[in-house]
Amino acid sequence: MQVSVENTSALERRMSITVPAERIETQVNKRLQQTAQKAKIAGFRPGKVPMSEIKRRFGADARQEAVGDVIQSSFYEAVVEQKLNPAGAPSIEPKSLEAGKDLEYVAIFEVFPEFTVAGFEGITVERLSADVADADLDKMLDVLRKQNTRFEVADRAAQNDDQLNIDFVGKVDGEVFAGGSAKGTQLVLGSGRMIPGFEDGLVGAKAGEERVLNLTFPADYQNLDLAGKTAEFTVTVNTVSEPKLPELNEEFFAQFGIKETGLEGFRAEVRKNMERELRQAIKSKVKNQVMDGLLATNPIEVPKALLSNEVDRLRVQAVQQFGGNIKPDQLPAELFEEQAKRRVVLGLIVAEVVKQFDLKPDEARVREMIQEMASAYQEPEQVVSWYYKNEQQLNEVRSVVLEEQVVDTVLQKASVTDKSVSYEEAVKPVEAPQAD
């Protein structure tokens, strides 16, 4: 087999391969002999069909299959021989497929970039530290109570935070418009669910009262047919219900599946969850800074095949997340290219750091991470056992731990400053940069 390789770009390779005709013919004859043993042809007993008849009937298909298999196997042999690392399936250009002659074809493909990860010293990281103060815990309990607010019918005028049951009909230019009417809708005043002025216009209303609201749709309203237009809403208030926060009692605690009894036990469990969230938030922010630093200090070219595959994965995830009847390939690729490129580049860089520093998952950290995740469940021992019985899930945790070890490796040489902040600041998500 003859092989020659041409570098057509930084990552693209054009490999010309010539396979001796004998190898093709051997594969063709092998297939024909297998076919002859089982072929059922009228006038012949099984296994007694003349080879000339077998070749006449099945020769073309046998050759096509043989050529396909030989191209596949010879390409693999060639990349191993040339010590190449393809980043995707090759594009095959046949040059000579004529029977009795050497098989010649060209394989065009991309290879993984070869690089050494460097620049750790130029990476700056701000590592936050915080504690869960009693005031933070009190605020979290208030949040939990508000999330479980119940509404009770009140015989009074409506106020902000009240829940109204309403019927309404909306008209534009005297005509009812699509989607502008409803019956028995529950609406919390001050929630911002309706267009500006709608909820404010119902403050002070009582059950059984009808109000007419003249409002204007925002200029940037999602329905362009209504954007900027004036509408008249006739609203009937059926009921007014006031919010009632649940008491911090055993009934309330039971909703969260917490075994501990009493207020102090509940506070202790909530504090544990907050501390777990705090650790994860701090760890995540450090990791993001490290990854941003690795991207900035290690610019590498991305194989188009890897980028395309990642875009396809993100398309599928988007469809699964948002649902609808749309197919993944109907989503524009450019929507996902930036995120896909970041993922691919970071994947290559992280893999190279693992290779350079010969990192392997620390099994003690793997168990610690699983136990940390399991502690959020009522039966943590069962969760730990489940992970260790499911190899795929266990390997996913190992991958996360390995990424953490990569972060630790970078932090040893990076410029790290520690900063004490409040709990709220520590867990607050990092805002994405605004587009120009």
Side-chain angles (χ1 to χ4, degrees):
M1 188 170 74
Q2 297 177 350
V3 180
S4 63
V5 181
E6 177 187 357
N7 295 356
T8 51
S9 73
L11 297 181
E12 189 179 82
R13 302 292 180 267
R14 182 182 176 88
M15 187 162 67
S16 299
I17 300 174
T18 302
V19 182
E22 293 80 8
R23 180 169 171 177
I24 304 296
E25 297 308 318
T26 298
Q27 291 297 318
V28 172
N29 290 333
K30 180 180 177 181
R31 279 167 173 73
L32 291 175
Q33 287 169 3
Q34 291 172 343
T35 301
Q37 293 173 6
K38 57 185 179 182
K40 294 181 180 180
I41 299 177
F44 298 97
R45 286 182 297 164
K48 300 297 182 179
V49 183
M51 185 54 68
S52 59
E53 183 64 16
I54 293 293
K55 286 182 179 180
R56 186 182 73 80
R57 287 174 177 260
F58 305 105
D61 289 342
R63 180 168 298 280
Q64 185 176 3
E65 290 177 9
V67 167
D69 286 352
V70 169
I71 286 177
Q72 185 175 4
S73 59
S74 61
F75 172 76
Y76 176 75
E77 293 165 14
V79 295
V80 171
E81 175 192 309
Q82 298 295 317
K83 297 179 179 177
L84 297 172
N85 190 9
S91 170
I92 303 297
E93 296 180 357
K95 293 178 68 178
S96 174
L97 299 177
E98 191 175 341
K101 291 189 177 181
D102 292 346
L103 168 66
E104 296 180 35
Y105 68 93
V106 172
I108 301 172
F109 56 95
E110 290 177 298
V111 295
F112 283 92
E114 295 182 3
F115 63 98
T116 299
V117 182
F120 292 0
E121 297 80 3
I123 297 174
T124 59
V125 175
E126 183 180 70
R127 185 166 49 201
L128 305 180
S129 62
D131 294 311
V132 178
D134 288 342
D136 299 316
L137 180 56
D138 292 338
K139 191 176 289 187
M140 180 58 71
L141 293 182
D142 286 341
V143 169
L144 294 176
R145 292 177 71 198
K146 287 177 181 175
Q147 287 175 348
N148 289 272
T149 296
R150 296 173 184 171
F151 290 93
E152 294 181 2
V153 174
D155 185 18
R156 61 164 174 78
Q159 323 178 79
N160 269 332
D161 299 326
D162 283 348
Q163 184 183 74
L164 275 56
N165 183 287
I166 59 173
D167 302 334
F168 64 91
V169 176
K171 296 180 180 179
V172 172
D173 297 329
E175 297 291 332
V176 175
F177 59 91
S181 303
K183 283 186 174 294
T185 291
Q186 303 281 26
L187 175 65
V188 175
L189 299 187
S191 64
R193 181 179 141 199
M194 306 298 278
I195 66 172
F198 191 102
E199 293 165 31
D200 291 341
L202 297 178
V203 172
K206 292 185 177 182
E209 185 177 341
E210 180 179 281
R211 287 196 175 184
V212 177
L213 309 176
N214 290 295
L215 307 172
T216 301
F217 282 95
D220 59 352
Y221 192 65
Q222 58 188 10
N223 185 338
L224 298 180
D225 292 334
L226 298 174
K229 290 188 176 180
T230 299
E232 179 186 272
F233 290 90
T234 302
V235 185
T236 301
V237 178
N238 300 318
T239 59
V240 175
S241 301
E242 61 184 356
K244 293 289 185 181
L245 293 180
E247 295 295 325
L248 290 171
N249 54 26
E250 298 301 327
E251 181 184 355
F252 179 74
F253 305 153
Q255 294 180 47
F256 298 89
I258 293 176
K259 293 180 180 179
E260 298 291 339
T261 58
L263 179 57
E264 288 309 308
F266 183 71
R267 287 175 67 90
E269 286 297 317
V270 173
R271 186 186 290 274
K272 277 187 197 175
N273 290 335
M274 293 174 70
E275 288 172 343
R276 186 186 303 113
E277 180 188 12
L278 178 62
R279 287 193 297 271
Q280 291 301 323
I282 291 174
K283 189 185 295 185
S284 177
K285 287 180 179 179
V286 168
K287 176 184 173 181
N288 287 340
Q289 291 176 78
V290 167
M291 294 303 171
D292 287 343
L294 287 172
L295 282 172
T297 54
N298 294 275
I300 60 175
E301 190 168 342
V302 181
K304 295 184 182 67
L306 295 186
L307 182 59
S308 177
N309 289 341
E310 191 60 35
V311 165
D312 289 342
R313 269 193 288 271
L314 291 173
R315 280 169 157 167
V316 171
Q317 288 176 11
V319 170
Q320 290 173 342
Q321 181 177 355
F322 299 109
N325 297 322
I326 192 169
K327 295 181 180 178
D329 57 8
Q330 291 177 304
L331 296 172
E334 52 268 22
L335 287 177
F336 307 96
E337 282 178 353
E338 187 175 344
Q339 184 184 359
K341 183 176 181 181
R342 177 184 172 88
R343 282 193 179 190
V344 171
V345 173
L346 279 178
L348 295 172
I349 291 175
V350 167
E352 187 58 30
V353 173
V354 169
K355 179 181 174 184
Q356 281 181 217
F357 292 87
D358 193 25
L359 300 177
K360 292 179 175 58
D362 182 334
E363 292 300 327
R365 289 179 67 165
V366 170
R367 176 166 286 275
E368 184 182 334
M369 179 172 287
I370 291 174
Q371 289 174 336
E372 171 90 352
M373 293 187 293
S375 66
Y377 294 85
Q378 291 188 34
E379 303 291 341
E381 301 84 3
Q382 291 183 11
V383 177
V384 172
S385 175
W386 180 83
Y387 268 98
Y388 278 96
K389 289 178 181 177
N390 290 269
E391 195 66 23
Q392 182 178 346
Q393 301 296 329
L394 186 59
N395 285 334
E396 286 183 10
V397 177
R398 288 188 176 120
S399 296
V400 175
V401 168
L402 195 56
E403 275 197 5
E404 288 189 356
Q405 291 175 238
V406 168
V407 171
D408 292 344
T409 302
V410 176
L411 290 176
Q412 290 173 10
K413 296 183 180 181
S415 175
V416 182
T417 57
D418 291 297
K419 181 183 178 182
S420 295
V421 297
S422 67
Y423 168 82
E424 282 194 354
E425 185 175 346
V427 299
K428 182 181 178 182
V430 177
E431 293 183 6
Q434 296 294 317
D436 293 335

